[in-house]
Every structure is written in structure tokens, then in C-alpha cells.
Amino acid sequence: MTSIAGDWGCVFDVIRQPVWAVDAAQLVRYANPAAAEVMGYGAPSELLGLDGRPFPAADLDGRGEGTLTRSDGSLLPVEWTRLPLPGARGDAVLYVFRPLGAEPFLGNRGPGETGPPYRRLAHRQAERERRHARILQHEVQERMVRTLLGLSMAREELTAAPAQAVALLSDAVRDTEEALATVREVTDALCPGALRAGGLPVALAALARRRPGRLTVSGTLSERLPQLVETHAYLFVAEAMERAVVGGAADHVHVTADHVHMDSEGPALVVTVADDGTEPATGADLAALTERVAALDGTLTARHIPGTGTTVTATVPLAPADTA
């Protein structure tokens, strides 16, 4: 099915800013994956046909603040920007959203509470990464989308201009598209949108979709964990996978994330990354992964079997409230 977003769909699909396009009846005719994630849907297609206007729906010109209704009925406060969609059929317009409000701390320890020094340092590091990711996703990226749309509209209006001017605009469009792709890569490296919206299981599933055939995910983990645990566990998987593919010459990596109950130590999160690579992890690789896990007071084990591959396992203790 051809979307009213037309050629713009390939641009919007890869950005982490929630975006959708509506027709003259204000019904959603295109939504990007980021919009599906933040709205709690499994796929962008589930948003199609819904009323795309934020509430309240008055004076929808330019930009403003309102709420969107998520799939579970909860309200999501957002700042929205309404833009014409260059080259779209009919009266299609584009909505670009920025979720508002501080993200709640999920767990039994808030950012300002006391705790072991390594936990406090790790929490501050994780919060800095999340803050930088939000700035990139909701401020830098939105401005770049607006710039890209404006440049494209100018190019359409200048069809009778000298070929050199049109070529310069085309170069600017291409450069902006490449910059948007870079912003997405940096944002995902710092703290992916799927992790912020849906937690570790959703983020790992999104990571697997970006590497079809190379990465598979399984496990019993379903509920949210504290931000600190989610962030470092995700980065542990991403770093271990990168080591396996680049340094270990692996063709396939399998990740499991499970809640377990240690007889003597209580509940724990166990994350295992197993690859079929021919090269074992180096001392530097293991030191980096060990430091990541130690930030959560966890332990790391690694085993390489020639002809089979390398398995690294992180075991992170969880307070009872963390698993509630």
C-alpha cells in the first residue's frame, strides 16, 4: 500500500521522532515506527485510520501542546508541530511529536537517594546518556526534519530556477538526510527510544529487527526494571554483540534475558549473549563488559569453546522492589 507520505516515508521510518501524516479528514494515513512505540502499538499499521489530531483539537496551526491517547487508554502529553507535507497527495499534513514530562524512575531508588558509590556513579552516567539522547531525539532531530521539509518545498517552488540553484538545494537535502541518519545512530547508541518507551524486552527486540538473521532474542523478562538496570543491561548486550560480530567473526548471536531466583542471594537478572564466532573475547573486551556489569554490582562469566563460539553471562542482583 502506498502511503500519503510518499517518498518521505523512507526518511521518517528511520528517525526516532514520533511522526505521522493525516489526510483531509484528519485520519492517520502514515505513521513511523517511533510513533507506534510511543503510542504502545506493535506496528505503525495499527495507527492507520485513527484520528491523528492531538487533544484539544482547536487551532491546529503551527505548533502547540496537548495529549494523545495511547493503545492502553492512557494519555500521553506531547508538544506537537504541524507541517505541510511536500509532494503529498491531497491536503495531507505532517505531525511531529515530542513527549512531555519527566520519565518516572522505575524501581526502589530515586536519583537523589543514597546508595553504594558505584551505583550513584552509574546512575549519573545513565541519566546523562538518557538526557543527551532526549535532546538529540526531540530537539535536534525535529529541527532537522523541519529543515528537510523546508528545503524540499523550496526545491519544488524553484523548478524554473537555474539548474545550479536546484542542484545546491538537492545537495542540502541529501546532506540533511545523512545528518538525520547519524543523529539516529547516536541516539540509539546513547539510549534507544524503544528502551525508554517499552523497557529492556522491547529494546532487545528492536535491536534484533535491525540485524535480521544475525541476532535473535528470547527470555522470560516482561516487566519494567529500574532505568539504571535497563540502560546498562541493554548496553551490555549491544557491546557484547558488537564484539561478537566485529571481533569474534560471528555469523549469529543469541540473547536471553531472564528473571531468576538465586538460592542465597535472592532475585537477579541474568542476561546471556552467545555467539558462533571463531575468535574468543580479548582481555580488553572482557574488561569493558565486566566494568559495565560491575556498575550494577553484578558478575560476569565468559566461556569460549573452539568450534562452537563464545558465551558471556551477566548476573545482576535485584532488590525485591525491583521485580515488583
Side-chain angles (χ1 to χ4, degrees):
M1 176 173 131
T2 302
S3 162
I4 65 171
D7 293 338
W8 288 104
C10 63
V11 175
F12 300 140
D13 281 349
V14 300
I15 67 174
R16 299 306 310 166
Q17 192 86 2
V19 167
W20 63 56
V22 301
D23 59 17
Q26 303 300 315
L27 301 180
V28 176
R29 295 306 179 192
Y30 163 81
N32 70 348
E37 285 180 9
V38 77
M39 293 293 287
Y41 290 94
S45 59
E46 297 178 39
L47 285 162
L48 302 185
L50 300 181
D51 190 330
R53 294 170 295 181
F55 180 84
D59 301 325
L60 290 182
D61 289 322
R63 60 192 308 155
E65 294 184 4
T67 58
L68 301 173
T69 303
R70 303 181 77 246
S71 62
D72 61 2
S74 62
L75 297 180
L76 176 69
V78 294
E79 178 181 273
W80 52 264
T81 302
R82 194 170 188 260
L83 304 166
L85 190 58
R89 302 186 302 275
D91 298 321
V93 295
L94 185 76
Y95 282 102
V96 181
F97 298 102
R98 181 171 72 90
L100 299 175
E103 298 178 17
F105 181 78
L106 303 172
N108 66 332
R109 179 177 296 150
E113 295 180 359
T114 60
Y118 50 80
R119 282 267 183 167
R120 295 199 299 270
L121 290 172
H123 186 82
R124 285 198 292 269
Q125 176 187 349
E127 283 302 304
R128 283 196 301 269
E129 291 172 347
R130 296 174 75 89
R131 185 170 63 253
H132 295 330
R134 286 195 294 268
I135 291 173
L136 282 172
Q137 179 181 347
H138 298 307
E139 296 182 22
V140 177
Q141 193 166 246
E142 179 181 346
R143 292 190 181 101
M144 294 181 72
V145 168
R146 291 171 63 90
T147 300
L148 184 57
L149 291 172
L151 288 170
S152 297
M153 293 174 67
R155 184 173 57 181
E156 289 183 3
E157 294 295 328
L158 291 175
T159 53
Q164 184 178 8
V166 175
L168 288 173
L169 280 174
S170 296
D171 289 344
V173 169
R174 185 190 65 247
D175 291 343
T176 305
E177 290 174 343
E178 292 175 355
L180 272 171
T182 302
V183 167
R184 177 178 179 257
E185 290 179 5
V186 174
T187 301
D188 281 347
L190 288 171
C191 184
L195 183 64
R196 296 193 299 275
L200 186 59
V202 174
L204 293 179
L207 187 63
R209 287 194 296 270
R210 291 202 297 273
R211 289 183 176 266
R214 301 292 298 274
L215 176 65
T216 54
V217 177
S218 65
T220 59
L221 187 64
S222 58
E223 64 270 24
R224 295 298 299 261
L225 297 170
Q227 288 181 1
L228 178 62
V229 175
E230 288 183 339
T231 299
H232 285 285
Y234 175 85
L235 293 175
F236 164 76
V237 170
E239 291 164 2
M241 183 191 68
E242 188 70 15
R243 183 222 66 79
V245 172
V246 177
D251 292 321
H252 182 263
V253 180
H254 183 71
V255 177
T256 60
D258 297 288
H259 268 148
V260 300
H261 194 281
M262 314 294 285
D263 291 338
S264 59
E265 300 177 5
L269 168 66
V270 177
V271 181
T272 299
V273 182
D275 68 68
D276 60 0
T278 58
E279 299 296 326
T282 66
D285 292 332
L286 293 178
L289 294 175
T290 299
E291 182 178 358
R292 176 70 67 185
V293 177
L296 300 173
D297 197 24
T299 58
L300 180 79
T301 60
R303 181 181 61 174
H304 177 77
I305 301 177
T308 301
T310 300
T311 299
V312 292
T313 301
T315 303
V316 177
L318 297 173
D322 291 347
T323 59

